[in-house]
Amino acid sequence: YDPCCAYPCQNQGVCLTLPANNYTCDCTGTDHYGIHCEIPTWRAWLKKVLKPDPETVHNLITSNSLLWGIINRIPFIHKQIITYVYISRGDMVDSPPTFESDHSYITLNAYFNESYYGRALPPVPTHCPTPFGIKGPKEYPDVDMLIKKVFMRREFIPEPHDTNVLFQYYAQHFTHQFFRTDYKKGPQLTKGSGGVDVSNIYGLTEQDRQALRSRVDGKLRTQVINGEEFPPYLKDVPGITMDYPPHVPIPEEAKFALGHPFYALLPGLFAYATIWVREHNRVCDELQRLHPGWDDERLYQTARLIIIGEVIKITIEDYVQHLSQYNLRLTFEPELTHGTHFQYHNRIHAEFNHLYHWHPLIPDTLQINGTDYAIMDMAYSTAPVFKHGLDNFIHSMVNSRAGALTTRNHAHVLYPVLKKVIENSRQLRFQGVNAYRKRFEMKPFTSFQELTGDTELAGVLEEMYGDIDAVEYYIGLLAERPGPSITPLTMVNMGGPWSVKGLMANPICSPKYWKPSTFGGEEGFNIIKTASLEKLFCLNMRTGCKDISFTVP
Ligand SMILES: COC(=O)[C@@H](C)c1ccc(-c2ccccc2)c(F)c1
C-alpha cells in the first residue's frame, strides 16, 4: 500500500509518495529534519524544552486566581500575554488555507474556491487500507451502536461549572453566522463568508439584507407586539426564507423573518435575534443623535460595524472567558496585533464546525414560570416567548442549567443530528483524534484509559476501535476526560486557535478600520469598548434585567 498511509512524517512534514513503494518527507518550515522530520533543530529543541505541556499551562491558567488577579492588573504584563495568545493561536491556523475536503494534498482550490470549508489536516486518502490510514478496523464502528453506547443521555448530567442555557443559546446563535454548511451540495461546502460577519443578524445575501431593513434611520424592520419591539412577521418580508418543516401547520403570527433561516427552530434563537435587532436599532438612535445629518444608509452601515465590534467584544470577554474558565482576564484589544505578522484573513475549517457540535449542552426541558417545555414542545414555536413575555423567557434561560459537554449526555431527540455529524466526518475522511492532537502541538493519547479517565468507557471504545490512533475525531473530543474548562482540554487547545483567529482576523481589527471615525467617532468606538453581555440585555429588555451571565445564579 501507499507508504504515506502510515503517516510516517512527523511535525507537520508532508509525505510525498514515490515510485516503487518509496516516499519522502518534506520538512520545509517544520524546524525539524531527518527522514521523518523527527529531529528538531536546536531552535525547535529549545522551544520544546522551554514550552511546558499544554495540560500544565491550562491547569496553571485556570487556577492560581490570586496570582492572575495581580497579573490582570499590571497592564504591561497583561498586554504581553494577550498579544502572545492572539499571535500564537493565530499562527496555528493555516492562512491562506492549504487543504480542502476533496483532495488529500494541497491544491489551489483550497484558496480560490471559497465555497470549501478549510481543513487543518487533509482527508485520509481513499486508497489506504483503513479509514485512518493503516491503523484500526477496516470499517468504521457501526454508528448506531456507537451513539447508543457512547453518546445517548442516560440521565441529565448538569454542566459542572453552573453553565446556563443562556450560554448554550449564545453558542448556537453566534456560531451559525459562520457555520453555514451547504447541505444540498455536501458537508465539505459552506455558503458562509469566512468569519464573524453578523450575517445571522442582517442576512447572508445583499437581497436578504435589503429586505430586512426599514430604510428609515438605518434601522432594521421591527413590529410592536404587547408594547415591545420584535422582528417582523415572515409574511411581511417578501424574499426572506426561513426553514420551517413542510406540512406542519404553523400560524403566520408565529413565523418571523430573522437573519438566519435556522433561527425558526428554537425560541432561544428568536430571543437572541430579537435582542440583537433591538441593539442595532438602539445604536442607530445613538448615531443619529451624534450625526443628525446622516442618511439611512450611513446610519445602517456604521451601526453594523459597531454591532460586529460588540459581538467580538462580548464573545471574547464574556463567552470565551466563561468557556475557557481562565483566570487570565481575556480582552478584546485589536491594536495589540498591529505591526505584527498577524494577518486579517480567516477561513472556517470543517473540523471547527464538527468540534462545535455541543448538543450535550441542551437540557431535556426548559422551565419557564413553572411551566416545563420539552425541547420538541419548543421546536418551531415562539409561543413560550409570547406566553410568558421575552423577559421571563430570558430569565428562565439564565436560571436553567446546561448539560455537561461529555459522553452519554445527548438528548434522545437529537439522535438524528448526532448521527449526521458522525456520518459527515466519515464522508470527509477526518484523520483520528491523535493526528489532530499532534497537529495542535499536543502529545497523542497513548491509551484509551488516558483518553477517557474512565475504565468502563475506555473498554467500550477499545472494543470498537482497537487502536488508540483509530479513535475518530469527534468521538475523541467528547470522550476525553473532563478538564477545568467547559470543554475537555483538546477542544480548548484546538478550538482556541480557530476561535481566536476567527475573532481577531476580522477586518474591523485591522489598522485601517480600528479607529474612531469608522464607528462614528469616539462615542461609537466606546459602544464597542464598553459592550458586555449584561449591557446587551439590560439595554434591550423592558422590565429590567437580573443576574445576566453565563452561570446559573
Ligand atoms: C488555547 O486557549 C485559548 O487561546 C483561550 C483564549 C481560548 C480561546 C478559545 C476557546 C474556544 C474553544 C472552543 C470553541 C470556542 C472557543 C477556548 F476554549 C480557549
Side-chain angles (χ1 to χ4, degrees):
Y1 58 79
D2 171 355
C4 287
C5 289
Y7 291 100
C9 308
Q10 302 306 308
N11 301 300
Q12 290 198 61
V14 180
C15 189
L16 188 63
T17 310
L18 299 173
N21 253 10
N22 217 327
Y23 69 95
T24 174
C25 289
D26 181 350
C27 307
T28 309
T30 68
D31 256 347
H32 288 73
Y33 57 95
I35 60 160
H36 293 138
C37 315
E38 78 282 10
I39 308 168
T41 58
W42 61 267
R43 212 161 69 97
W45 180 81
L46 209 63
K47 217 176 112 181
K48 226 170 242 178
V49 162
L50 291 179
K51 186 171 175 294
D53 170 67
E55 183 132 14
T56 315
V57 171
H58 195 65
N59 291 332
L60 185 95
I61 301 185
T62 52
S63 54
N64 300 299
S65 53
L66 198 68
L67 165 77
W68 288 108
I70 295 165
I71 292 176
N72 289 337
R73 289 184 181 76
I74 305 172
F76 168 70
I77 297 180
H78 182 259
K79 286 181 189 295
Q80 290 297 317
I81 298 173
I82 295 299
T83 305
Y84 172 76
V85 169
Y86 293 162
I87 306 284
S88 65
R89 305 296 95 190
D91 286 347
M92 293 175 83
V93 180
D94 289 351
S95 180
T98 43
F99 302 110
E100 27 76 18
S101 298
D102 285 337
H103 300 82
S104 59
Y105 43 84
I106 198 164
T107 63
L108 274 182
N109 297 1
Y111 175 74
F112 286 109
N113 185 337
E114 297 180 4
S115 300
Y116 277 119
Y117 278 122
R119 283 289 288 267
L121 285 176
V124 177
T126 49
H127 57 255
C128 290
T130 75
F132 305 93
I134 60 168
K135 299 275 182 72
K138 290 235 176 307
E139 300 294 327
Y140 288 112
D142 173 71
V143 67
D144 294 306
M145 178 189 66
L146 176 62
I147 293 176
K148 288 191 183 81
K149 284 190 165 184
V150 177
F151 290 97
M152 278 300 107
R153 180 173 284 160
R154 274 76 172 157
E155 66 175 74
F156 179 67
I157 306 170
E159 207 289 312
H161 306 85
D162 300 327
T163 302
N164 61 19
V165 166
L166 194 72
F167 177 91
Q168 176 240 312
Y169 277 115
Y170 188 93
Q172 204 164 25
H173 179 270
F174 171 75
T175 55
H176 275 81
Q177 69 187 296
F178 46 75
F179 292 145
R180 288 185 175 260
T181 304
D182 193 340
Y183 288 108
K184 290 190 188 65
K185 293 182 186 162
Q188 74 279 23
L189 299 174
T190 175
K191 291 185 284 192
S193 60
V196 178
D197 60 1
V198 283
S199 58
N200 55 340
I201 297 171
Y202 296 99
L204 182 61
T205 62
E206 195 52 42
Q207 181 200 345
D208 287 354
R209 278 194 286 276
Q210 295 309 334
L212 289 170
R213 289 173 61 170
S214 70
R215 314 217 59 79
V216 173
D217 301 341
K219 294 186 174 181
L220 292 173
R221 296 189 53 168
T222 58
Q223 60 174 313
V224 176
I225 302 176
N226 306 338
E228 293 194 33
E229 203 181 14
F230 285 96
Y233 288 133
L234 183 56
K235 64 179 171 53
D236 297 334
V237 185
I240 288 289
T241 53
M242 294 294 291
D243 288 347
Y244 281 101
H247 334 304
V248 172
I250 296 171
E252 287 313 307
E253 284 63 52
K255 290 183 179 180
F256 291 83
L258 308 176
H260 194 301
F262 174 73
Y263 290 171
L265 177 67
L266 289 163
L269 299 169
F270 174 74
Y272 267 107
T274 302
I275 289 291
W276 278 113
V277 162
R278 289 183 184 174
E279 176 63 10
H280 170 91
N281 289 354
R282 187 190 70 80
V283 168
C284 286
D285 285 338
E286 292 259 315
L287 286 173
Q288 189 162 51
R289 190 173 46 75
L290 296 162
H291 305 280
W294 277 12
D295 65 3
D296 167 68
E297 182 63 13
R298 179 137 197 203
L299 289 165
Y300 171 80
Q301 295 299 352
T302 306
R304 191 154 68 115
L305 281 159
I306 291 174
I307 292 295
I308 280 198
E310 289 194 54
V311 166
I312 299 173
K313 169 83 172 181
I314 293 169
T315 301
I316 291 178
E317 301 195 6
D318 286 296
Y319 174 76
V320 173
Q321 187 75 64
H322 176 77
L323 167 63
S324 63
Q325 293 288 299
Y326 277 13
N327 285 322
L328 162 70
R329 182 165 52 86
L330 296 176
T331 49
F332 176 45
E333 299 174 272
E335 62 280 1
L336 296 179
T337 62
H338 297 174
T340 70
H341 65 272
F342 190 89
Q343 308 246 315
Y344 305 95
H345 305 291
N346 186 49
R347 186 66 57 88
I348 301 298
H349 286 68
E351 300 98 328
F352 189 37
N353 182 358
H354 281 240
L355 174 148
Y356 237 123
H357 277 71
W358 289 355
H359 296 93
L361 286 172
I362 300 173
D364 294 310
T365 61
L366 185 62
Q367 192 177 77
I368 310 168
N369 275 3
T371 311
D372 257 359
Y373 290 88
I375 303 172
M376 289 324 276
D377 295 344
M378 296 194 287
Y380 301 108
S381 162
T382 51
V385 176
F386 291 103
K387 180 155 179 265
H388 302 279
L390 180 67
D391 293 7
N392 280 325
F393 185 85
I394 290 168
H395 193 65
S396 69
M397 288 199 282
V398 168
N399 288 286
S400 299
R401 288 184 180 286
L405 254 175
T406 183
T407 46
R408 292 153 178 179
N409 207 24
H410 268 79
H412 283 253
V413 299
L414 299 171
Y415 189 105
V417 179
L418 176 58
K419 184 164 180 172
K420 191 83 191 123
V421 75
I422 294 174
E423 287 173 339
N424 283 349
S425 71
R426 294 176 173 185
Q427 188 184 326
L428 297 177
R429 304 184 62 78
F430 280 3
Q431 295 183 39
V433 70
N434 264 352
Y436 282 95
R437 290 270 295 186
K438 289 192 279 191
R439 168 66 177 76
F440 285 89
E441 297 172 8
M442 288 176 271
K443 287 199 293 295
F445 294 115
T446 55
S447 74
F448 287 87
Q449 182 64 31
E450 188 204 344
L451 165 68
T452 65
D454 171 323
T455 314
E456 184 270 334
L457 181 61
V460 166
L461 290 175
E462 176 134 32
E463 195 239 328
M464 276 194 267
Y465 290 105
D467 188 315
I468 187 66
D469 284 341
V471 174
E472 294 177 84
Y473 171 75
Y474 182 70
I475 285 74
L477 288 179
L478 271 189
E480 184 177 19
R481 64 189 182 286
S485 304
I486 305 303
T487 73
L489 182 62
T490 306
M491 259 196 210
V492 166
N493 285 332
M494 286 175 45
W498 284 315
S499 164
V500 169
K501 179 72 177 171
L503 292 162
M504 297 314 295
N506 193 278
I508 70 160
C509 300
S510 65
K512 291 294 199 299
Y513 276 75
W514 190 250
K515 56 180 80 165
S517 52
T518 307
F519 307 101
E522 283 301 344
E523 297 86 347
F525 213 10
N526 277 329
I527 292 175
I528 296 176
K529 291 179 174 177
T530 60
S532 72
L533 182 81
E534 182 165 34
K535 249 183 95 173
L536 172 68
F537 279 94
C538 293
L539 291 176
N540 293 297
M541 289 167 74
R542 287 293 157 273
T543 58
C545 55
K546 221 159 62 65
D547 301 325
I548 296 292
S549 88
F550 285 135
T551 51
V552 176

